[in-house]
C-alpha cells in the first residue's frame, strides 16, 4: 500500500512539474520550446520574463533577447522566437531596439532570423523563408 502511495505521489509531482514548465511562458504570444526554456534556465536566464517584456515593446528586453546566444538545436528554437518577436513588435520597432549593435551582433541576429524563417513553425504568418522578402528593412540594416 505504501508503495502505491509513493508511486502516485511521484507521478503527480512530475506531472505538476511538467505543467508548470509548460505554463512558464503562458503569458507569451510566442511559443517557446521546452528545450529552449531548459537551456535558458540552466544559464540562469529568465527567457520567458525577457520575452514577455519584449513583446510588450520594452526596447532593452528586445535587444537583450535578440543578443542571447544559443548553440545547436536550441539556436533553431531561439531563431523562431526572434522571428515571432519581429512579427509581433513590428520590423521598425525591432530595428529601433537593436540600433547601435556592432557588425558581429548584426551577423548573429541575421543568422537567427534566417534560421527562424527557414526552420520555424510560424508558417501562417510568413510568405517565404527569405529574410530579404519577409523583413526587407531589417535585412538592409543587418547587412550594412
Amino acid at each position: 500500500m505504501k508503495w502505491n502511495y509513493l508511486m502516485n505521489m511521484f507521478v503527480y509531482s512530475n506531472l505538476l512539474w511538467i505543467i508548470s514548465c509548460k505554463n512558464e511562458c503562458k503569458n507569451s504570444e510566442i511559443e517557446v520550446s521546452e528545450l529552449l526554456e531548459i537551456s535558458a534556465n540552466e544559464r540562469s536566464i529568465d527567457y520567458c520574463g525577457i520575452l514577455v517584456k519584449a513583446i510588450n515593446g520594452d526596447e532593452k528586453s528586445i535587444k537583450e533577447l535578440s543578443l542571447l546566444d544559443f548553440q545547436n538545436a536550441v539556436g533553431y528554437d531561439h531563431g523562431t522566437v526572434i522571428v515571432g518577436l519581429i512579427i509581433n513588435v513590428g520590423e521598425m520597432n525591432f530595428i529601433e531596439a537593436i540600433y547601435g549593435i556592432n557588425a558581429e551582433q548584426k551577423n548573429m541576429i541575421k543568422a537567427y532570423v534566417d534560421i527562424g524563417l527557414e526552420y520555424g513553425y510560424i508558417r501562417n504568418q510568413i510568405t517565404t523563408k527569405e529574410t530579404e522578402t519577409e523583413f526587407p528593412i531589417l535585412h538592409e540594416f543587418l547587412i550594412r
Side-chain angles (χ1 to χ4, degrees):
M1 189 60 99
K2 255 186 183 180
W3 177 254
N4 285 339
Y5 175 76
L6 290 174
M7 283 301 292
N8 284 337
M9 291 303 293
F10 176 75
V11 169
Y12 291 130
S13 66
N14 281 333
L15 185 59
L16 281 173
W17 181 79
I18 290 169
I19 291 170
S20 68
C21 284
K22 281 297 205 190
N23 288 333
E24 217 171 299
C25 282
K26 69 181 175 187
N27 295 330
S28 168
E29 299 160 21
I30 300 169
E31 185 178 328
V32 176
S33 73
E34 188 174 349
L35 179 64
L36 180 51
E37 277 189 77
I38 290 169
S39 180
N41 287 337
E42 286 175 351
R43 295 172 48 193
S44 299
I45 298 170
D46 180 14
Y47 195 90
C48 294
I50 298 167
L51 177 58
V52 168
K53 289 178 187 174
I55 289 170
N56 289 324
D58 180 63
E59 289 187 355
K60 181 181 174 195
S61 297
I62 292 170
K63 185 175 183 178
E64 181 180 0
L65 188 76
S66 300
L67 295 176
L68 290 175
D69 188 19
F70 291 96
Q71 303 298 315
N72 303 320
V74 180
Y76 288 81
D77 294 345
H78 181 59
T80 301
V81 170
I82 298 299
V83 168
L85 179 61
I86 297 166
I87 291 168
N88 194 282
V89 300
E91 190 175 358
M92 292 306 297
N93 290 331
F94 184 82
I95 293 169
E96 286 176 24
I98 64 169
Y99 192 81
I101 60 174
N102 63 40
E104 184 179 330
Q105 292 168 324
K106 285 181 178 182
N107 288 334
M108 183 177 73
I109 291 173
K110 184 174 181 324
Y112 280 124
V113 173
D114 290 345
I115 288 169
L117 287 172
E118 181 72 26
Y119 299 102
Y121 48 79
I122 308 175
R123 299 284 183 241
N124 62 338
Q125 296 174 326
I126 59 172
T127 56
T128 69
K129 296 181 178 185
E130 297 166 2
T131 306
E132 48 277 342
T133 304
E134 289 301 320
F135 308 117
I137 301 168
L138 176 62
H139 175 75
E140 284 299 314
F141 171 78
L142 294 174
I143 63 170
R144 292 187 187 251

